[in-house]
Amino acid sequence: MNVVNPQQFEVWRDDLEPVLILKADEFHLLGQKEATKEDVWQLGLEKLQKEEEFVPFYQFVSVFMRLNVTDYMNKVTISAYKGEGKWSKDTEDELEGLLHDVLRH
């Protein structure tokens, strides 16, 4: 039985804001410019879903501090395979336009 519920962590989100910004900036420096604070938040919550006991605040913060760009890339890759990525119709149209330009030349 999973005791942890992601909603219980919402009360700590404001306290964690500096860590979310720090991690998003770290991911940007490592080449993942599309990473957002929300992406970091969701990634951390996914890691915490595996916990079966009460998570104290210090452990909660530690989970987010230990996130790395590989964790983020794994999530992005899996989301892309599942069709859940940040892919939109506009992106698809833009890529088709680029392909058309390349094939014309």
Side-chain angles (χ1 to χ4, degrees):
M1 183 169 115
N2 196 358
V3 176
V4 175
N5 183 346
Q7 285 76 33
Q8 86 182 47
F9 298 125
E10 286 295 327
V11 296
W12 289 337
R13 184 167 181 153
D14 287 342
D15 295 327
L16 197 69
E17 187 74 11
V19 174
L20 298 175
I21 293 168
L22 175 79
K23 281 297 171 178
D25 288 346
E26 177 185 327
F27 293 174
H28 294 168
L29 288 172
L30 294 171
Q32 300 307 315
K33 305 238 183 274
E34 69 283 350
T36 65
K37 294 184 306 185
E38 182 62 28
D39 293 334
V40 174
W41 175 254
Q42 292 302 322
L43 183 59
L45 290 181
E46 285 179 19
K47 295 260 184 198
L48 287 161
Q49 285 178 351
K50 298 173 187 173
E51 297 293 329
E52 294 185 8
E53 296 181 16
F54 176 77
V55 177
F57 184 70
Y58 74 88
Q59 185 179 355
F60 175 75
V61 173
S62 178
V63 166
F64 283 88
M65 291 299 294
R66 286 191 320 254
L67 293 175
N68 60 52
V69 76
T70 303
D71 296 326
Y72 177 74
M73 284 306 303
N74 288 342
K75 172 148 177 50
V76 169
T77 302
I78 290 168
S79 293
Y81 284 137
K82 290 181 176 179
E84 302 168 351
K86 296 179 183 179
W87 199 266
S88 68
K89 180 68 174 139
D90 292 337
T91 307
E92 189 174 314
D93 291 344
E94 188 176 320
L95 289 174
E96 284 182 16
L98 287 172
L99 179 61
H100 179 49
D101 289 345
V102 168
L103 293 175
R104 245 185 352 176
H105 289 78

